[in-house]
Amino acid sequence: MAQSVMEKNQISDEMILEKLSQKSTINQGFSWLLQKYKERLYWHIRRMVHQHEDANDVLQNTLVKIYRGINNFKGDAKLYTWLYRIATNESLTFLKKQQRQKSTSIDNEELNLNNKLKADTYFDGNDIQHQLQLALRTLPEKQHLVFNMRYFEEIPYKEMSKALNTSVGALKASYHHAVKKIEAFLKKEN
Amino acid sequence: MKKNHHIQEELENISPFLAHLRQEEIENPKVPDGYFETIEDNIWARIKAEDEAESWGKVNVPSSPVPKVTWLQRVKSWLLCPQVGVSFALVLVAVFALNILVNPTVEEGNIVLTEEEIDEYLEENIDQFSESLLLEGMSEELADADISIELNIDDADIDAYLEENIGEIDPNLLEETW
């Protein structure tokens, strides 16, 4: 697909949507979408599910869902907001499924997380990064999600509110609590 | 990466400790070499495989041809069954007998009771009704009643309230209300 080879920062959402709107160019449009958003979506998912293998599975499911459901995109929100919503839902579904499968006690869970993180081939964070990752895993899912979107991805509350279908006030409050909890965790550990 | 000033300032107000930590350059966790270059091919391969599996299913599992029968033909053949005729006759006899047993003297439609008369009757004979029957009647009435209360509060007011009371809102409640 020679036509689809294009610098990702040259591709606008309008161009992608135009290609996606026609049956004859839908694949090219999707290729552009992948080029532009695959990495951002990957990191969004990875920060939720932590391990690369899990992130890869969730990303693939997300992208296939996007391809199959592209006709459902109404255009009333930004393309990225819609993509984020699907990636978030997929991540949360994955985490819920994972939680159901867990049979270990809460005490062992923290130890398992620690070991898993150390065993993750693709994680070579320094001590403070390691501590931060551990702290993030102690947060409830939605606080974790809001924290990632604000702290790492710097997404404005208004955009977050559209992607997560929650009020700005609730998001601010969730972020506040998440920050406080992480601070307490890190201070306790150091 | 240059940090967004507004977000950094917000964090500074909540936790100077974490704001300081955020200013340090934090590396992303690693991904396998060439991962982002291959993800596209993997996705296309998966989409193609799914499409092929779907079309394979359609081609190889043909639906058996069903002879066309109109609804009129179906009803006609059903009515012609002797069992149906006998059943109809039995049902008619049963309905007639039941009508005589239930309304021996009064014809339906002749009794018109007002709400007050019903209430009066209920009050006088309250002991005759079981508790469960009364509760059932009450819940039906409540279901019919318009007891909805409309709260006209703007989203902006809710946000303002949440912001003012940011530290006091139960985080579990926030998690549940999403």
Side-chain angles (χ1 to χ4, degrees), chain B residues 37-72:
Chain B
E37 284 76 57
T38 55
I39 185 80
E40 279 182 61
D41 291 341
N42 293 339
I43 294 296
W44 282 119
R46 188 169 149 180
I47 289 170
K48 203 177 157 200
E50 280 183 12
D51 287 346
E52 274 171 9
E54 202 183 317
S55 60
W56 189 87
K58 275 181 192 163
V59 171
N60 288 279
V61 190
S63 50
S64 53
V66 181
K68 270 194 174 178
V69 182
T70 64
W71 68 270
L72 197 64

Side-chain angles (χ1 to χ4, degrees), chain B residues 101-163:
Chain B
L101 282 171
V102 173
N103 298 314
T105 51
V106 184
E107 274 181 45
E108 201 182 277
N110 287 346
I111 301 170
V112 179
L113 292 173
T114 61
E115 287 275 323
E116 288 78 26
E117 282 171 328
I118 295 170
D119 286 345
E120 205 177 309
Y121 178 78
L122 281 171
E123 218 164 298
E124 278 171 18
N125 301 280
I126 195 84
D127 295 333
Q128 307 293 318
F129 295 93
S130 73
E131 201 180 318
S132 58
L133 190 69
L134 289 170
L135 284 171
E136 207 176 299
M138 268 174 72
S139 59
E140 270 172 26
E141 257 179 50
L142 282 173
D144 292 339
D146 182 17
I147 52 168
S148 62
I149 300 163
E150 205 174 310
L151 292 173
N152 288 317
I153 303 174
D154 277 351
D155 282 353
D157 292 339
I158 296 171
D159 283 346
Y161 175 81
L162 285 167
E163 217 163 314

Side-chain angles (χ1 to χ4, degrees), chain A residues 38 42-43 46-47 56 61 68 122 128-129 142 150-151 154 157 166 169 172 177 180 183, chain B residues 4 10 14-15 21-22 27-31 35-36 40 46 50-51 159 163 169 175 178:
Chain A
K38 65 185 173 190
Y42 171 83
W43 289 115
R46 175 85 188 259
R47 286 192 185 102
N56 179 42
N61 291 343
R68 303 274 179 224
Y122 306 111
I128 195 71
Q129 267 192 63
K142 282 155 193 167
R150 193 73 181 158
Y151 186 93
E154 302 193 329
Y157 283 119
T166 310
K172 283 185 182 175
H177 285 292
K180 287 285 177 200
E183 183 186 36
Chain B
N4 177 307
E10 176 195 38
I14 309 172
S15 164
L21 183 70
R22 190 171 179 266
E27 275 180 45
N28 272 331
K30 281 189 173 176
V31 289
Y35 173 70
F36 289 117
E40 279 182 61
R46 188 169 149 180
E50 280 183 12
D51 287 346
D159 283 346
E163 217 163 314
I169 295 152
E175 194 79 4
W178 277 29

Side-chain angles (χ1 to χ4, degrees), chain A:
Chain A
M1 271 180 226
Q3 272 177 296
S4 70
V5 181
M6 204 169 169
E7 282 295 314
K8 66 179 174 188
N9 47 10
Q10 284 182 290
I11 311 168
S12 69
D13 284 358
E14 288 72 31
M15 285 159 74
I16 295 172
L17 289 170
E18 201 192 307
K19 294 282 178 195
L20 289 171
S21 66
Q22 288 165 38
K23 225 177 170 181
S24 58
T25 54
I26 191 165
N27 286 359
Q28 191 184 3
F30 189 64
S31 275
W32 285 358
L33 184 146
L34 287 174
Q35 278 180 57
K36 189 171 179 184
Y37 290 115
K38 65 185 173 190
E39 284 192 43
R40 284 167 79 179
L41 289 174
Y42 171 83
W43 289 115
H44 175 65
I45 294 166
R46 175 85 188 259
R47 286 192 185 102
M48 281 302 288
V49 304
H50 300 288
Q51 284 184 295
H52 168 73
E53 278 75 17
D54 296 337
N56 179 42
D57 286 347
V58 177
L59 178 68
Q60 290 210 16
N61 291 343
T62 301
L63 292 172
V64 171
K65 274 213 172 136
I66 288 167
Y67 180 77
R68 303 274 179 224
I70 201 72
N71 292 331
N72 299 331
F73 177 66
K74 302 276 189 290
D76 51 355
K78 281 186 183 173
L79 177 65
Y80 188 54
T81 308
W82 184 69
L83 303 178
Y84 238 106
R85 199 180 300 160
I86 297 173
T88 303
N89 286 344
E90 284 298 307
S91 305
L92 292 177
T93 306
F94 171 85
L95 290 171
K96 280 203 178 85
K97 218 157 111 188
Q98 201 181 43
Q99 205 135 26
R100 276 201 298 269
Q101 285 165 354
K102 268 182 201 160
S103 55
T104 48
S105 72
I106 306 231
D107 289 343
N108 286 336
E109 202 173 299
E110 205 171 310
L111 194 70
N112 281 350
L113 290 174
N114 203 346
N115 291 339
K116 260 179 150 182
L117 202 61
K118 279 181 181 160
D120 188 348
T121 332
Y122 306 111
F123 183 85
D124 71 343
N126 57 26
D127 259 6
I128 195 71
Q129 267 192 63
H130 180 81
Q131 295 295 331
L132 182 62
Q133 290 299 320
L134 280 179
L136 283 173
R137 287 173 189 225
T138 63
L139 295 178
E141 281 162 11
K142 282 155 193 167
Q143 272 180 31
H144 184 175
L145 181 65
V146 175
F147 184 86
N148 284 343
M149 291 173 93
R150 193 73 181 158
Y151 186 93
F152 294 111
E153 298 166 49
E154 302 193 329
I155 298 177
Y157 283 119
K158 268 195 178 169
E159 218 171 296
M160 243 196 263
S161 157
K162 282 180 202 154
L164 305 176
N165 211 13
T166 310
S167 76
V168 168
L171 290 169
K172 283 185 182 175
S174 289
Y175 182 62
H176 178 96
H177 285 292
V179 169
K180 287 285 177 200
K181 278 185 196 171
I182 288 174
E183 183 186 36
F185 183 96
L186 293 176
K187 281 185 173 169
K188 200 179 101 188
E189 293 295 312
N190 293 304

